[in-house]
Amino acid sequence: MKLLDGAGRVALVTGAAGGIGRALVKGLREAGARVTALDLSEPALTAVYGRDEHVSTIAGSAASEGDVKSAVAATLDTFGRIDFAINLAGMVGAGRLAETSLADWQRLIDINLTSAFLLCRECHRALKASKGAVVLISSTNGLNGGSFLSGAAYAVAKAGIINLTRYLAKEWAGDGIRVNCLAPGPVATPMLDRLKADEHAALKRAIPIGRYATAEECAAQILFFCSTHAGSTTGTVANISGGLVLD
Ligand SMILES: NC(=O)c1ccc[n+]([C@@H]2O[C@H](COP(=O)([O-])OP(=O)(O)OC[C@H]3O[C@@H](n4cnc5c(N)ncnc54)[C@H](O)[C@@H]3O)[C@@H](O)[C@H]2O)c1
């Protein structure tokens, strides 16, 4: 059984130059879909997707209303439709609440949560036309409260993603749009590069399966959410944490 038949389908992916983003775009391309890949840096996007004529790259911020509007317009202009809107853009914070500046709080909320609001709102018309799917990305920090390692704003934003998923699943069901999200624990991507060797070891010991999730495992879950196999699946949160957080 094929995970996703993407022939004739178009995905708009934010955070597309990151670890999970690269695995996802590879999976979407292998499924036959065409992709608009949005991320902050054009050189980073070109380094990954420069040779693929079916991936359109856009440098911009997923937290900028103007950039998201432009990305949606460019996708419709280039490919004529949007079937899958997938928001992977994200960034961790750090530190304790008493030391968190208002600017850092707002920046983390914007990158991790407002980005999802913007992508969903701007894609709604196209997704309604295609009977498409949205996949958002939360984190186990959004399930268990997180910690100072990623900071309060990250945990709050990722919890917000879960309720945005549930809210939209209900509001958009009548439009034929399904909305689901992932809540990964640690995933082996550049996002974890900030941890020291002893922190990696301690974290892996705490994970019942004894290792981090892979970007490919996250991508496969997203492909499933986009596929017809998930036709009855909406408003769900896929916990991909190897048993680390079980709610
Ligand atoms: N890696 C993990 O352990 C883990 C765990 C849980 C959730 N997540 C979430 O998964 C998502 C993808 O992360 P990843 O693991 O691939 O990490 P990553 O750091 O490899 O990728 C994140 C990507 O998002 C991009 N990005 C950041 N801010 C952006 C913005 N304003 N506009 C557009 N792009 C922006 C970055 O440039 C980067 O390419 C993130 O939302 C992250 O919070 C990751």
Side-chain angles (χ1 to χ4, degrees):
M1 189 190 290
K2 217 171 166 183
L3 200 50
L4 170 71
D5 181 359
R9 303 301 186 93
V10 174
L12 171 50
V13 180
T14 74
I20 297 173
R22 274 175 277 165
L24 174 65
V25 175
K26 185 166 183 283
L28 285 164
R29 291 291 302 114
E30 286 168 3
R34 290 169 296 165
V35 180
T36 294
L38 173 83
D39 208 302
L40 293 171
S41 149
E42 184 58 53
L45 287 164
T46 307
V48 185
Y49 303 117
R51 291 202 197 123
D52 189 335
E53 59 177 318
H54 297 301
V55 178
S56 170
T57 59
I58 298 184
S61 172
S64 153
E65 186 173 32
D67 288 354
V68 175
K69 279 180 189 278
S70 301
V72 170
T75 306
L76 293 172
D77 201 39
T78 306
F79 298 128
R81 57 189 290 142
I82 299 173
D83 298 275
F84 313 127
I86 303 158
N87 193 52
L88 300 178
M91 196 173 278
V92 287
R96 295 172 192 279
L97 188 91
E99 285 97 49
T100 301
S101 69
L102 179 58
D104 276 350
W105 172 271
Q106 286 172 334
R107 189 173 57 88
L108 268 288
I109 297 288
D110 281 352
I111 292 169
N112 291 291
L113 181 58
T114 308
S115 58
F117 155 70
L118 289 172
L119 184 73
C120 291
R121 191 189 68 185
E122 294 306 318
C123 287
H124 176 245
R125 187 192 299 258
L127 291 171
K128 189 174 172 183
S130 66
K131 305 291 175 217
V134 173
V135 185
L136 304 177
I137 191 137
S138 177
S139 158
T140 47
N141 282 251
L143 292 170
N144 72 354
S147 78
F148 66 91
L149 292 172
S150 300
Y154 184 76
V156 169
K158 292 302 190 183
I161 289 288
I162 292 172
N163 239 28
L164 179 61
T165 300
R166 291 173 172 161
Y167 174 88
L168 283 180
K170 291 187 280 183
E171 190 182 283
W172 288 1
D175 294 334
I177 305 168
R178 295 177 301 97
V179 186
N180 293 287
C181 79
L182 266 59
V187 186
T189 72
M191 186 162 272
L192 294 190
D193 288 351
R194 71 191 193 284
L195 301 181
K196 300 188 191 83
D198 58 325
E199 291 171 326
H200 279 296
L203 192 48
K204 282 181 186 165
R205 273 198 303 276
I207 300 171
I209 66 164
R211 65 167 177 86
Y212 296 151
T214 65
E216 288 71 22
E217 288 167 341
C218 294
Q221 182 68 55
I222 297 170
L223 295 178
F224 166 73
F225 278 149
C226 291
S227 76
T228 52
H229 305 304
S232 302
T233 303
T234 195
T236 72
V237 183
N239 179 325
I240 306 183
S241 69
L244 178 65
V245 173
L246 297 173
D247 58 337

